[in-house]
Amino acid sequence: SAGLKRPELTIDDVAILAGPDTEVPVLDAATQEQQRRWTLREWAAYMREKTPTTHKVLNILSLEVSGTRLGALVRAPQFVRDVDWVSKTPEDQRPKVRKYCLMSAKGAFTDWHVDMGGSSVWYHVVEGAKVFWFAPPSPKNLDAYAKWISSSSQSKTWFGDVLGESEV
């Protein structure tokens, strides 16, 4: 387990433990644009009822659970805690965000991004699979990312295509 602490949970369990009336931003995977804020109760119903032909493919990427019953049940693997810069920062200077829970429907994706500075990100996929694409942080790639992230065509262009197959 590498020091990982995570209970077996359903989407309904997450809603109950993090608060069924907790509101979270929901993203449309196709456009990467935020929809209205949903309660976790609504999200749980969407996940139970969705079908590929009747529902948009959606993501929740910003459910902060540190101060919830769910947060108390989850602990990062030891190797992540060992290298986490945030936990080595004085308590009064730490960001409030400590533990995120991400939930996605089948077929969802998250566009290329850089996670919040200093955060050590780890994933434990409960059901399904998640594919990660990485690119070396070379000066050329970082320059291409800076241009792409501020481009008006960002939502229509996959960053991997900008870099080319040899870089991804």
Side-chain angles (χ1 to χ4, degrees):
S1 78
L4 170 70
K5 177 181 166 189
R6 182 202 57 87
E8 294 295 326
L9 299 172
T10 66
I11 297 291
D12 288 301
D13 294 332
V14 169
I16 290 165
L17 292 168
D21 295 321
T22 298
E23 291 189 357
V24 291
V26 174
L27 296 179
D28 180 332
T31 64
Q32 296 292 292
E33 292 178 0
Q34 184 174 320
Q35 305 296 292
R36 68 174 175 79
R37 294 176 67 83
W38 289 27
T39 65
L40 290 178
R41 179 180 288 112
E42 290 173 304
W43 177 259
Y46 159 79
M47 291 296 284
R48 279 192 308 275
E49 299 163 7
K50 68 179 174 25
T51 67
T53 56
T54 61
H55 290 82
K56 287 183 176 182
V57 178
L58 304 173
N59 274 328
I60 287 182
L61 304 176
S62 301
L63 174 57
E64 210 321 299
V65 298
S66 297
T68 68
R69 292 187 294 157
L70 177 59
L73 296 173
V74 177
R75 181 179 64 219
Q78 186 63 51
F79 72 91
V80 173
R81 288 179 277 144
D82 290 345
V83 300
D84 182 32
W85 287 22
V86 172
S87 64
K88 296 177 181 3
T89 304
E91 191 78 39
D92 64 333
Q93 296 174 22
R94 290 181 187 172
K96 291 183 175 33
V97 175
R98 296 301 312 256
K99 294 179 183 176
Y100 268 118
C101 176
L102 284 66
M103 295 179 281
S104 302
K106 181 178 181 178
F109 70 96
T110 306
D111 218 338
W112 285 80
H113 64 280
V114 176
D115 282 319
M116 293 175 290
S119 64
S120 296
V121 177
W122 59 278
Y123 282 79
H124 182 86
V125 178
V126 175
E127 184 179 321
K130 185 153 181 88
V131 175
F132 291 87
W133 293 86
F134 295 94
S138 67
K140 175 185 160 200
N141 289 349
L142 292 170
D143 182 56
Y145 180 76
K147 289 176 182 165
W148 173 80
I149 199 74
S150 61
S151 166
S152 61
S153 65
Q154 178 201 358
S155 64
K156 299 173 190 73
T157 308
W158 187 58
F159 183 59
D161 289 340
V162 172
L163 292 183
E165 194 174 313
S166 65
E167 290 293 321
V168 178

